[in-house]
Amino acid sequence: MAQSLTSQGAQLGPLPEEDHCIKSYSEGQDFRVSPYLQNPDMDGMTILWLSETSEPGSVDVAGVGSFASSPELAKDLAYHANEIANHFNGNDPGTPYQHRVRVSGLSAGTSYNYTVQQGSSSYTGTLKTTPERNTDIRFIVYADSETEPESTGKTRRCSEPYGNFDRQYWLDQTEGYAINIQTMKLRNPDFIAVAGDIVESGNEQRDWDEFWQHNAGRFNDIGAGIPIFPAVGNHENHSGGDGGGGFYTTPLAKDALARYRSYFETPDNGSGKPEHQDRYYRVDYGPITYITIDGTNGNPNQSNQDTNWYLHGEGETSIDNPEWGEGEAPDFNPGSRQYQWLEAQLADAQKRSRFTFVQFHHVPYSVGPHGFNPGEGGQSNAEDKQSGVPMRVLTPLFKQYGVDAVFAGHDEMYEHSLVDGIHFFDV
Ligand SMILES: [Fe+2]
Ligand SMILES: [Fe+2]
């Protein structure tokens, strides 16, 4: 199907004639989120989906077998009371059921057709296992999708850095993201990594719904064939007004991260802390090692080691609001558990892999506002309360263990810095 997209008089030309058009999702009435892939391995893959009811579903993998699902109420994905009041006329759309099927015993680098049956709905896709080490791969990294249903019809002002924001994007954010995903699908990557700020407000369930509408829903089904490797950004810690209105309060940040962890499944990081699962992890994929770090809050709070002065991290409490309890974002500074884990992974990856890549959200080197030093003086004093500069503490490790490139976001512009032989990107 060829489409021409026209927005505010700008003719953008036809989309490709292939199977990459925005899907109509009439087949998916029983799916809240249609099937998507996570946690690829050389002999397995996890297939997840969300249904409206508690009825078990099934996965049939061609040539392998059939697997029943054991649905669980996805209690962390309940709508916040503010959302129900402000967007659903007080009628809760309900909490979905999550289905998670691990398919194992597969062969490396092999494609398998699979069909998920849920109620009277079915979905057929193709999964591909992780290939052997001596195999070419392709991956795509982006960041700051910041999805929310309110994006439809909204275009952003834009400028050169520190300019007058005197230009307006042609496309609204929904159409722009949809076209980006279509383009990614055309490039047929083995996996897609998202370096944080996946959703606009981490504790607004509607914002997560919107992300999955683009990745396993009515706009596109890219997640059904291409696994997504996520990273936590500041927005995943941010409640949003309809998610409790608490900005970066500790309890709402925990609720927001529980939503994030519900959707994603990544290799165990060995921390022994369930609240840190999926926040930092390592994936070996063909010839590369791809490491994800959570740099959303360094300890101590409001110091040169902190990337978010509003948020309290692991073991920290608010002086003004002690009832919030301790924060849970893992510290990344030397001596922390995450830092020690990172060093061990980098040392091992240097021996194992031809290339090592690292992703996290806060770009360490940037000409944008988050490239200013941490401080509360504001942009006019070249200070920023959500600075990426503290992440530079990791650069010596990257140099020592031969990291090839680091992918980050947060300043929301394309930028490439070469520092100590390491390629740093704001994607
Ligand atoms: Fe962002
Ligand atoms: Fe950010």
Side-chain angles (χ1 to χ4, degrees), residues 144-179:
D144 299 280
S145 35
E146 296 177 15
T147 54
E148 55 173 350
E150 295 92 329
S151 291
T152 301
K154 247 196 217 172
T155 59
R156 287 291 296 259
R157 304 290 285 173
C158 57
S159 75
E160 299 297 321
Y162 321 116
N164 293 322
F165 285 84
D166 54 354
R167 293 181 291 172
Q168 194 93 25
Y169 278 110
W170 288 346
L171 299 177
D172 77 7
Q173 295 175 60
T174 301
E175 198 173 6
Y177 187 44
I179 294 172

PDB file of all heavy atoms in Angstrom, residues 144-179:
ATOM      1  N   ASP A 144      14.444   8.939  23.413  1.00  0.00           N
ATOM      2  CA  ASP A 144      13.546  10.084  23.595  1.00  0.00           C
ATOM      3  C   ASP A 144      12.298  10.041  22.719  1.00  0.00           C
ATOM      4  O   ASP A 144      11.857  11.075  22.212  1.00  0.00           O
ATOM      5  CB  ASP A 144      14.323  11.392  23.372  1.00  0.00           C
ATOM      6  CG  ASP A 144      15.468  11.547  24.369  1.00  0.00           C
ATOM      7  OD1 ASP A 144      15.209  11.949  25.501  1.00  0.00           O
ATOM      8  OD2 ASP A 144      16.622  11.218  24.014  1.00  0.00           O
ATOM      9  N   SER A 145      11.719   8.864  22.566  1.00  0.00           N
ATOM     10  CA  SER A 145      10.443   8.790  21.847  1.00  0.00           C
ATOM     11  C   SER A 145       9.344   9.492  22.648  1.00  0.00           C
ATOM     12  O   SER A 145       8.440  10.098  22.070  1.00  0.00           O
ATOM     13  CB  SER A 145      10.060   7.340  21.554  1.00  0.00           C
ATOM     14  OG  SER A 145      10.454   6.474  22.581  1.00  0.00           O
ATOM     15  N   GLU A 146       9.412   9.402  23.986  1.00  0.00           N
ATOM     16  CA  GLU A 146       8.525  10.167  24.878  1.00  0.00           C
ATOM     17  C   GLU A 146       7.072  10.135  24.434  1.00  0.00           C
ATOM     18  O   GLU A 146       6.416  11.170  24.288  1.00  0.00           O
ATOM     19  CB  GLU A 146       9.055  11.605  25.030  1.00  0.00           C
ATOM     20  CG  GLU A 146      10.403  11.613  25.708  1.00  0.00           C
ATOM     21  CD  GLU A 146      11.070  12.978  25.846  1.00  0.00           C
ATOM     22  OE1 GLU A 146      10.383  13.994  25.661  1.00  0.00           O
ATOM     23  OE2 GLU A 146      12.272  13.005  26.154  1.00  0.00           O
ATOM     24  N   THR A 147       6.575   8.933  24.229  1.00  0.00           N
ATOM     25  CA  THR A 147       5.217   8.789  23.706  1.00  0.00           C
ATOM     26  C   THR A 147       4.163   9.201  24.735  1.00  0.00           C
ATOM     27  O   THR A 147       4.319   9.006  25.931  1.00  0.00           O
ATOM     28  CB  THR A 147       4.950   7.328  23.301  1.00  0.00           C
ATOM     29  OG1 THR A 147       5.240   6.481  24.415  1.00  0.00           O
ATOM     30  CG2 THR A 147       5.789   6.921  22.111  1.00  0.00           C
ATOM     31  N   GLU A 148       3.082   9.755  24.223  1.00  0.00           N
ATOM     32  CA  GLU A 148       1.882  10.077  25.012  1.00  0.00           C
ATOM     33  C   GLU A 148       0.760  10.301  24.009  1.00  0.00           C
ATOM     34  O   GLU A 148       1.004  10.811  22.913  1.00  0.00           O
ATOM     35  CB  GLU A 148       2.090  11.340  25.867  1.00  0.00           C
ATOM     36  CG  GLU A 148       2.523  12.543  25.057  1.00  0.00           C
ATOM     37  CD  GLU A 148       2.572  13.842  25.859  1.00  0.00           C
ATOM     38  OE1 GLU A 148       2.092  13.850  26.989  1.00  0.00           O
ATOM     39  OE2 GLU A 148       3.068  14.834  25.313  1.00  0.00           O
ATOM     40  N   PRO A 149      -0.460   9.930  24.361  1.00  0.00           N
ATOM     41  CA  PRO A 149      -1.546  10.132  23.394  1.00  0.00           C
ATOM     42  C   PRO A 149      -1.740  11.593  23.042  1.00  0.00           C
ATOM     43  O   PRO A 149      -2.180  11.915  21.937  1.00  0.00           O
ATOM     44  CB  PRO A 149      -2.782   9.547  24.100  1.00  0.00           C
ATOM     45  CG  PRO A 149      -2.378   9.223  25.486  1.00  0.00           C
ATOM     46  CD  PRO A 149      -0.896   9.213  25.557  1.00  0.00           C
ATOM     47  N   GLU A 150      -1.382  12.486  23.957  1.00  0.00           N
ATOM     48  CA  GLU A 150      -1.538  13.921  23.691  1.00  0.00           C
ATOM     49  C   GLU A 150      -0.631  14.402  22.561  1.00  0.00           C
ATOM     50  O   GLU A 150      -0.765  15.542  22.102  1.00  0.00           O
ATOM     51  CB  GLU A 150      -1.227  14.745  24.945  1.00  0.00           C
ATOM     52  CG  GLU A 150      -2.190  14.517  26.107  1.00  0.00           C
ATOM     53  CD  GLU A 150      -1.743  13.428  27.066  1.00  0.00           C
ATOM     54  OE1 GLU A 150      -1.068  12.477  26.609  1.00  0.00           O
ATOM     55  OE2 GLU A 150      -2.076  13.511  28.254  1.00  0.00           O
ATOM     56  N   SER A 151       0.310  13.551  22.110  1.00  0.00           N
ATOM     57  CA  SER A 151       1.225  13.957  21.031  1.00  0.00           C
ATOM     58  C   SER A 151       0.501  14.129  19.705  1.00  0.00           C
ATOM     59  O   SER A 151       0.982  14.841  18.825  1.00  0.00           O
ATOM     60  CB  SER A 151       2.320  12.908  20.834  1.00  0.00           C
ATOM     61  OG  SER A 151       3.186  12.911  21.936  1.00  0.00           O
ATOM     62  N   THR A 152      -0.613  13.469  19.546  1.00  0.00           N
ATOM     63  CA  THR A 152      -1.333  13.573  18.279  1.00  0.00           C
ATOM     64  C   THR A 152      -1.826  15.007  18.105  1.00  0.00           C
ATOM     65  O   THR A 152      -2.490  15.554  18.987  1.00  0.00           O
ATOM     66  CB  THR A 152      -2.511  12.584  18.256  1.00  0.00           C
ATOM     67  OG1 THR A 152      -1.985  11.269  18.421  1.00  0.00           O
ATOM     68  CG2 THR A 152      -3.261  12.676  16.941  1.00  0.00           C
ATOM     69  N   GLY A 153      -1.437  15.573  16.965  1.00  0.00           N
ATOM     70  CA  GLY A 153      -1.815  16.958  16.700  1.00  0.00           C
ATOM     71  C   GLY A 153      -0.839  17.977  17.243  1.00  0.00           C
ATOM     72  O   GLY A 153      -0.982  19.168  17.005  1.00  0.00           O
ATOM     73  N   LYS A 154       0.164  17.496  18.004  1.00  0.00           N
ATOM     74  CA  LYS A 154       1.137  18.422  18.592  1.00  0.00           C
ATOM     75  C   LYS A 154       2.398  18.443  17.751  1.00  0.00           C
ATOM     76  O   LYS A 154       2.985  17.389  17.505  1.00  0.00           O
ATOM     77  CB  LYS A 154       1.553  17.902  19.970  1.00  0.00           C
ATOM     78  CG  LYS A 154       1.127  18.721  21.151  1.00  0.00           C
ATOM     79  CD  LYS A 154       1.964  18.269  22.345  1.00  0.00           C
ATOM     80  CE  LYS A 154       1.203  18.250  23.635  1.00  0.00           C
ATOM     81  NZ  LYS A 154       1.967  17.649  24.722  1.00  0.00           N
ATOM     82  N   THR A 155       2.818  19.605  17.306  1.00  0.00           N
ATOM     83  CA  THR A 155       4.138  19.721  16.697  1.00  0.00           C
ATOM     84  C   THR A 155       5.028  20.507  17.638  1.00  0.00           C
ATOM     85  O   THR A 155       4.540  21.309  18.441  1.00  0.00           O
ATOM     86  CB  THR A 155       4.083  20.418  15.326  1.00  0.00           C
ATOM     87  OG1 THR A 155       3.526  21.722  15.508  1.00  0.00           O
ATOM     88  CG2 THR A 155       3.233  19.626  14.352  1.00  0.00           C
ATOM     89  N   ARG A 156       6.309  20.267  17.539  1.00  0.00           N
ATOM     90  CA  ARG A 156       7.243  20.913  18.466  1.00  0.00           C
ATOM     91  C   ARG A 156       7.897  22.118  17.816  1.00  0.00           C
ATOM     92  O   ARG A 156       8.158  22.126  16.624  1.00  0.00           O
ATOM     93  CB  ARG A 156       8.339  19.917  18.870  1.00  0.00           C
ATOM     94  CG  ARG A 156       7.890  18.836  19.821  1.00  0.00           C
ATOM     95  CD  ARG A 156       7.574  19.356  21.199  1.00  0.00           C
ATOM     96  NE  ARG A 156       8.734  19.910  21.882  1.00  0.00           N
ATOM     97  CZ  ARG A 156       9.432  19.272  22.805  1.00  0.00           C
ATOM     98  NH1 ARG A 156       9.125  18.043  23.143  1.00  0.00           N
ATOM     99  NH2 ARG A 156      10.461  19.858  23.398  1.00  0.00           N
ATOM    100  N   ARG A 157       8.170  23.119  18.627  1.00  0.00           N
ATOM    101  CA  ARG A 157       9.066  24.193  18.204  1.00  0.00           C
ATOM    102  C   ARG A 157      10.473  23.630  18.231  1.00  0.00           C
ATOM    103  O   ARG A 157      10.797  22.747  19.022  1.00  0.00           O
ATOM    104  CB  ARG A 157       8.984  25.384  19.152  1.00  0.00           C
ATOM    105  CG  ARG A 157       7.598  25.944  19.337  1.00  0.00           C
ATOM    106  CD  ARG A 157       7.056  26.646  18.127  1.00  0.00           C
ATOM    107  NE  ARG A 157       7.652  27.965  17.920  1.00  0.00           N
ATOM    108  CZ  ARG A 157       7.421  28.702  16.849  1.00  0.00           C
ATOM    109  NH1 ARG A 157       6.648  28.233  15.883  1.00  0.00           N
ATOM    110  NH2 ARG A 157       7.965  29.904  16.730  1.00  0.00           N
ATOM    111  N   CYS A 158      11.333  24.151  17.367  1.00  0.00           N
ATOM    112  CA  CYS A 158      12.709  23.676  17.389  1.00  0.00           C
ATOM    113  C   CYS A 158      13.632  24.823  16.996  1.00  0.00           C
ATOM    114  O   CYS A 158      13.205  25.850  16.474  1.00  0.00           O
ATOM    115  CB  CYS A 158      12.903  22.491  16.450  1.00  0.00           C
ATOM    116  SG  CYS A 158      12.446  22.805  14.751  1.00  0.00           S
ATOM    117  N   SER A 159      14.921  24.633  17.301  1.00  0.00           N
ATOM    118  CA  SER A 159      15.889  25.701  17.047  1.00  0.00           C
ATOM    119  C   SER A 159      17.268  25.091  16.940  1.00  0.00           C
ATOM    120  O   SER A 159      17.471  23.931  17.240  1.00  0.00           O
ATOM    121  CB  SER A 159      15.882  26.713  18.196  1.00  0.00           C
ATOM    122  OG  SER A 159      16.551  26.156  19.316  1.00  0.00           O
ATOM    123  N   GLU A 160      18.215  25.912  16.533  1.00  0.00           N
ATOM    124  CA  GLU A 160      19.614  25.581  16.776  1.00  0.00           C
ATOM    125  C   GLU A 160      19.805  25.627  18.288  1.00  0.00           C
ATOM    126  O   GLU A 160      19.012  26.249  18.995  1.00  0.00           O
ATOM    127  CB  GLU A 160      20.527  26.620  16.103  1.00  0.00           C
ATOM    128  CG  GLU A 160      20.379  26.721  14.598  1.00  0.00           C
ATOM    129  CD  GLU A 160      20.756  25.437  13.887  1.00  0.00           C
ATOM    130  OE1 GLU A 160      21.730  24.787  14.317  1.00  0.00           O
ATOM    131  OE2 GLU A 160      20.076  25.071  12.920  1.00  0.00           O
ATOM    132  N   PRO A 161      20.878  24.988  18.810  1.00  0.00           N
ATOM    133  CA  PRO A 161      21.083  25.092  20.254  1.00  0.00           C
ATOM    134  C   PRO A 161      21.073  26.551  20.697  1.00  0.00           C
ATOM    135  O   PRO A 161      21.742  27.396  20.107  1.00  0.00           O
ATOM    136  CB  PRO A 161      22.458  24.457  20.457  1.00  0.00           C
ATOM    137  CG  PRO A 161      22.579  23.494  19.325  1.00  0.00           C
ATOM    138  CD  PRO A 161      21.873  24.148  18.167  1.00  0.00           C
ATOM    139  N   TYR A 162      20.301  26.842  21.726  1.00  0.00           N
ATOM    140  CA  TYR A 162      20.164  28.176  22.322  1.00  0.00           C
ATOM    141  C   TYR A 162      19.596  29.200  21.344  1.00  0.00           C
ATOM    142  O   TYR A 162      19.767  30.392  21.516  1.00  0.00           O
ATOM    143  CB  TYR A 162      21.507  28.666  22.901  1.00  0.00           C
ATOM    144  CG  TYR A 162      22.260  27.558  23.564  1.00  0.00           C
ATOM    145  CD1 TYR A 162      23.498  27.145  23.064  1.00  0.00           C
ATOM    146  CD2 TYR A 162      21.710  26.887  24.637  1.00  0.00           C
ATOM    147  CE1 TYR A 162      24.158  26.084  23.646  1.00  0.00           C
ATOM    148  CE2 TYR A 162      22.374  25.819  25.215  1.00  0.00           C
ATOM    149  CZ  TYR A 162      23.594  25.425  24.716  1.00  0.00           C
ATOM    150  OH  TYR A 162      24.248  24.374  25.270  1.00  0.00           O
ATOM    151  N   GLY A 163      18.925  28.739  20.313  1.00  0.00           N
ATOM    152  CA  GLY A 163      18.304  29.656  19.364  1.00  0.00           C
ATOM    153  C   GLY A 163      16.960  30.115  19.889  1.00  0.00           C
ATOM    154  O   GLY A 163      16.636  29.977  21.069  1.00  0.00           O
ATOM    155  N   ASN A 164      16.151  30.657  19.002  1.00  0.00           N
ATOM    156  CA  ASN A 164      14.901  31.280  19.417  1.00  0.00           C
ATOM    157  C   ASN A 164      13.688  30.362  19.303  1.00  0.00           C
ATOM    158  O   ASN A 164      12.572  30.817  19.435  1.00  0.00           O
ATOM    159  CB  ASN A 164      14.655  32.534  18.578  1.00  0.00           C
ATOM    160  CG  ASN A 164      15.693  33.595  18.886  1.00  0.00           C
ATOM    161  OD1 ASN A 164      16.095  33.760  20.033  1.00  0.00           O
ATOM    162  ND2 ASN A 164      16.145  34.295  17.859  1.00  0.00           N
ATOM    163  N   PHE A 165      13.935  29.093  19.051  1.00  0.00           N
ATOM    164  CA  PHE A 165      12.816  28.166  18.862  1.00  0.00           C
ATOM    165  C   PHE A 165      11.811  28.760  17.872  1.00  0.00           C
ATOM    166  O   PHE A 165      10.611  28.825  18.131  1.00  0.00           O
ATOM    167  CB  PHE A 165      12.139  27.834  20.202  1.00  0.00           C
ATOM    168  CG  PHE A 165      12.946  26.883  21.026  1.00  0.00           C
ATOM    169  CD1 PHE A 165      13.963  27.330  21.838  1.00  0.00           C
ATOM    170  CD2 PHE A 165      12.704  25.508  20.944  1.00  0.00           C
ATOM    171  CE1 PHE A 165      14.726  26.440  22.587  1.00  0.00           C
ATOM    172  CE2 PHE A 165      13.463  24.611  21.692  1.00  0.00           C
ATOM    173  CZ  PHE A 165      14.479  25.080  22.510  1.00  0.00           C
ATOM    174  N   ASP A 166      12.339  29.215  16.750  1.00  0.00           N
ATOM    175  CA  ASP A 166      11.503  29.939  15.794  1.00  0.00           C
ATOM    176  C   ASP A 166      11.052  29.054  14.635  1.00  0.00           C
ATOM    177  O   ASP A 166      10.512  29.550  13.664  1.00  0.00           O
ATOM    178  CB  ASP A 166      12.266  31.164  15.267  1.00  0.00           C
ATOM    179  CG  ASP A 166      13.616  30.790  14.686  1.00  0.00           C
ATOM    180  OD1 ASP A 166      14.005  29.608  14.786  1.00  0.00           O
ATOM    181  OD2 ASP A 166      14.275  31.673  14.132  1.00  0.00           O
ATOM    182  N   ARG A 167      11.283  27.766  14.743  1.00  0.00           N
ATOM    183  CA  ARG A 167      10.812  26.879  13.691  1.00  0.00           C
ATOM    184  C   ARG A 167       9.838  25.868  14.273  1.00  0.00           C
ATOM    185  O   ARG A 167       9.869  25.566  15.454  1.00  0.00           O
ATOM    186  CB  ARG A 167      11.999  26.123  13.060  1.00  0.00           C
ATOM    187  CG  ARG A 167      12.938  27.039  12.291  1.00  0.00           C
ATOM    188  CD  ARG A 167      14.060  26.258  11.683  1.00  0.00           C
ATOM    189  NE  ARG A 167      14.967  25.746  12.692  1.00  0.00           N
ATOM    190  CZ  ARG A 167      15.968  24.894  12.430  1.00  0.00           C
ATOM    191  NH1 ARG A 167      16.158  24.456  11.210  1.00  0.00           N
ATOM    192  NH2 ARG A 167      16.748  24.495  13.388  1.00  0.00           N
ATOM    193  N   GLN A 168       9.010  25.318  13.411  1.00  0.00           N
ATOM    194  CA  GLN A 168       8.011  24.349  13.859  1.00  0.00           C
ATOM    195  C   GLN A 168       8.165  23.101  12.999  1.00  0.00           C
ATOM    196  O   GLN A 168       8.261  23.183  11.780  1.00  0.00           O
ATOM    197  CB  GLN A 168       6.603  24.933  13.659  1.00  0.00           C
ATOM    198  CG  GLN A 168       5.522  24.184  14.371  1.00  0.00           C
ATOM    199  CD  GLN A 168       5.243  24.756  15.751  1.00  0.00           C
ATOM    200  OE1 GLN A 168       5.493  25.927  16.012  1.00  0.00           O
ATOM    201  NE2 GLN A 168       4.742  23.922  16.638  1.00  0.00           N
ATOM    202  N   TYR A 169       8.232  21.935  13.663  1.00  0.00           N
ATOM    203  CA  TYR A 169       8.280  20.685  12.892  1.00  0.00           C
ATOM    204  C   TYR A 169       7.034  20.559  12.031  1.00  0.00           C
ATOM    205  O   TYR A 169       5.946  21.000  12.413  1.00  0.00           O
ATOM    206  CB  TYR A 169       8.360  19.477  13.831  1.00  0.00           C
ATOM    207  CG  TYR A 169       9.749  19.187  14.319  1.00  0.00           C
ATOM    208  CD1 TYR A 169      10.096  19.411  15.645  1.00  0.00           C
ATOM    209  CD2 TYR A 169      10.714  18.678  13.457  1.00  0.00           C
ATOM    210  CE1 TYR A 169      11.377  19.138  16.105  1.00  0.00           C
ATOM    211  CE2 TYR A 169      11.992  18.407  13.906  1.00  0.00           C
ATOM    212  CZ  TYR A 169      12.322  18.633  15.233  1.00  0.00           C
ATOM    213  OH  TYR A 169      13.574  18.372  15.678  1.00  0.00           O
ATOM    214  N   TRP A 170       7.203  19.928  10.865  1.00  0.00           N
ATOM    215  CA  TRP A 170       6.078  19.740   9.958  1.00  0.00           C
ATOM    216  C   TRP A 170       5.097  18.686  10.473  1.00  0.00           C
ATOM    217  O   TRP A 170       3.903  18.789  10.269  1.00  0.00           O
ATOM    218  CB  TRP A 170       6.596  19.250   8.588  1.00  0.00           C
ATOM    219  CG  TRP A 170       7.302  20.279   7.794  1.00  0.00           C
ATOM    220  CD1 TRP A 170       7.315  21.627   8.017  1.00  0.00           C
ATOM    221  CD2 TRP A 170       8.101  20.042   6.643  1.00  0.00           C
ATOM    222  NE1 TRP A 170       8.084  22.244   7.061  1.00  0.00           N
ATOM    223  CE2 TRP A 170       8.572  21.303   6.201  1.00  0.00           C
ATOM    224  CE3 TRP A 170       8.447  18.923   5.922  1.00  0.00           C
ATOM    225  CZ2 TRP A 170       9.391  21.440   5.085  1.00  0.00           C
ATOM    226  CZ3 TRP A 170       9.253  19.050   4.815  1.00  0.00           C
ATOM    227  CH2 TRP A 170       9.722  20.306   4.399  1.00  0.00           C
ATOM    228  N   LEU A 171       5.637  17.666  11.094  1.00  0.00           N
ATOM    229  CA  LEU A 171       4.811  16.533  11.475  1.00  0.00           C
ATOM    230  C   LEU A 171       4.456  16.603  12.945  1.00  0.00           C
ATOM    231  O   LEU A 171       5.250  17.084  13.754  1.00  0.00           O
ATOM    232  CB  LEU A 171       5.574  15.221  11.255  1.00  0.00           C
ATOM    233  CG  LEU A 171       6.021  14.902   9.840  1.00  0.00           C
ATOM    234  CD1 LEU A 171       6.823  13.612   9.843  1.00  0.00           C
ATOM    235  CD2 LEU A 171       4.812  14.757   8.942  1.00  0.00           C
ATOM    236  N   ASP A 172       3.299  16.075  13.304  1.00  0.00           N
ATOM    237  CA  ASP A 172       3.043  15.939  14.725  1.00  0.00           C
ATOM    238  C   ASP A 172       3.843  14.738  15.246  1.00  0.00           C
ATOM    239  O   ASP A 172       4.402  13.951  14.483  1.00  0.00           O
ATOM    240  CB  ASP A 172       1.545  15.878  15.045  1.00  0.00           C
ATOM    241  CG  ASP A 172       0.881  14.546  14.748  1.00  0.00           C
ATOM    242  OD1 ASP A 172       1.571  13.569  14.411  1.00  0.00           O
ATOM    243  OD2 ASP A 172      -0.352  14.481  14.855  1.00  0.00           O
ATOM    244  N   GLN A 173       3.930  14.618  16.566  1.00  0.00           N
ATOM    245  CA  GLN A 173       4.847  13.642  17.146  1.00  0.00           C
ATOM    246  C   GLN A 173       4.400  12.204  16.887  1.00  0.00           C
ATOM    247  O   GLN A 173       5.224  11.300  16.761  1.00  0.00           O
ATOM    248  CB  GLN A 173       4.991  13.913  18.641  1.00  0.00           C
ATOM    249  CG  GLN A 173       5.661  15.259  18.895  1.00  0.00           C
ATOM    250  CD  GLN A 173       5.715  15.604  20.368  1.00  0.00           C
ATOM    251  OE1 GLN A 173       6.290  14.883  21.162  1.00  0.00           O
ATOM    252  NE2 GLN A 173       5.096  16.707  20.744  1.00  0.00           N
ATOM    253  N   THR A 174       3.103  11.999  16.785  1.00  0.00           N
ATOM    254  CA  THR A 174       2.609  10.645  16.522  1.00  0.00           C
ATOM    255  C   THR A 174       3.000  10.195  15.121  1.00  0.00           C
ATOM    256  O   THR A 174       3.537   9.098  14.920  1.00  0.00           O
ATOM    257  CB  THR A 174       1.071  10.617  16.687  1.00  0.00           C
ATOM    258  OG1 THR A 174       0.766  11.020  18.019  1.00  0.00           O
ATOM    259  CG2 THR A 174       0.524   9.227  16.427  1.00  0.00           C
ATOM    260  N   GLU A 175       2.770  11.074  14.147  1.00  0.00           N
ATOM    261  CA  GLU A 175       3.083  10.737  12.763  1.00  0.00           C
ATOM    262  C   GLU A 175       4.611  10.604  12.588  1.00  0.00           C
ATOM    263  O   GLU A 175       5.096   9.708  11.903  1.00  0.00           O
ATOM    264  CB  GLU A 175       2.523  11.824  11.845  1.00  0.00           C
ATOM    265  CG  GLU A 175       2.385  11.402  10.403  1.00  0.00           C
ATOM    266  CD  GLU A 175       1.672  12.470   9.559  1.00  0.00           C
ATOM    267  OE1 GLU A 175       1.405  13.573  10.082  1.00  0.00           O
ATOM    268  OE2 GLU A 175       1.422  12.182   8.383  1.00  0.00           O
ATOM    269  N   GLY A 176       5.352  11.503  13.230  1.00  0.00           N
ATOM    270  CA  GLY A 176       6.809  11.450  13.128  1.00  0.00           C
ATOM    271  C   GLY A 176       7.373  10.146  13.665  1.00  0.00           C
ATOM    272  O   GLY A 176       8.216   9.502  13.024  1.00  0.00           O
ATOM    273  N   TYR A 177       6.901   9.724  14.830  1.00  0.00           N
ATOM    274  CA  TYR A 177       7.395   8.474  15.411  1.00  0.00           C
ATOM    275  C   TYR A 177       6.973   7.283  14.558  1.00  0.00           C
ATOM    276  O   TYR A 177       7.760   6.358  14.322  1.00  0.00           O
ATOM    277  CB  TYR A 177       6.872   8.344  16.846  1.00  0.00           C
ATOM    278  CG  TYR A 177       7.430   7.182  17.624  1.00  0.00           C
ATOM    279  CD1 TYR A 177       8.779   6.856  17.595  1.00  0.00           C
ATOM    280  CD2 TYR A 177       6.601   6.396  18.429  1.00  0.00           C
ATOM    281  CE1 TYR A 177       9.290   5.786  18.330  1.00  0.00           C
ATOM    282  CE2 TYR A 177       7.097   5.336  19.168  1.00  0.00           C
ATOM    283  CZ  TYR A 177       8.436   5.026  19.119  1.00  0.00           C
ATOM    284  OH  TYR A 177       8.932   3.969  19.846  1.00  0.00           O
ATOM    285  N   ALA A 178       5.737   7.321  14.066  1.00  0.00           N
ATOM    286  CA  ALA A 178       5.268   6.217  13.217  1.00  0.00           C
ATOM    287  C   ALA A 178       6.134   6.076  11.969  1.00  0.00           C
ATOM    288  O   ALA A 178       6.502   4.953  11.578  1.00  0.00           O
ATOM    289  CB  ALA A 178       3.802   6.451  12.828  1.00  0.00           C
ATOM    290  N   ILE A 179       6.500   7.189  11.359  1.00  0.00           N
ATOM    291  CA  ILE A 179       7.327   7.123  10.141  1.00  0.00           C
ATOM    292  C   ILE A 179       8.739   6.663  10.488  1.00  0.00           C
ATOM    293  O   ILE A 179       9.355   5.892   9.744  1.00  0.00           O
ATOM    294  CB  ILE A 179       7.320   8.485   9.422  1.00  0.00           C
ATOM    295  CG1 ILE A 179       5.916   8.791   8.898  1.00  0.00           C
ATOM    296  CG2 ILE A 179       8.321   8.488   8.262  1.00  0.00           C
ATOM    297  CD1 ILE A 179       5.755  10.191   8.348  1.00  0.00           C
TER     298      ILE A 179
END
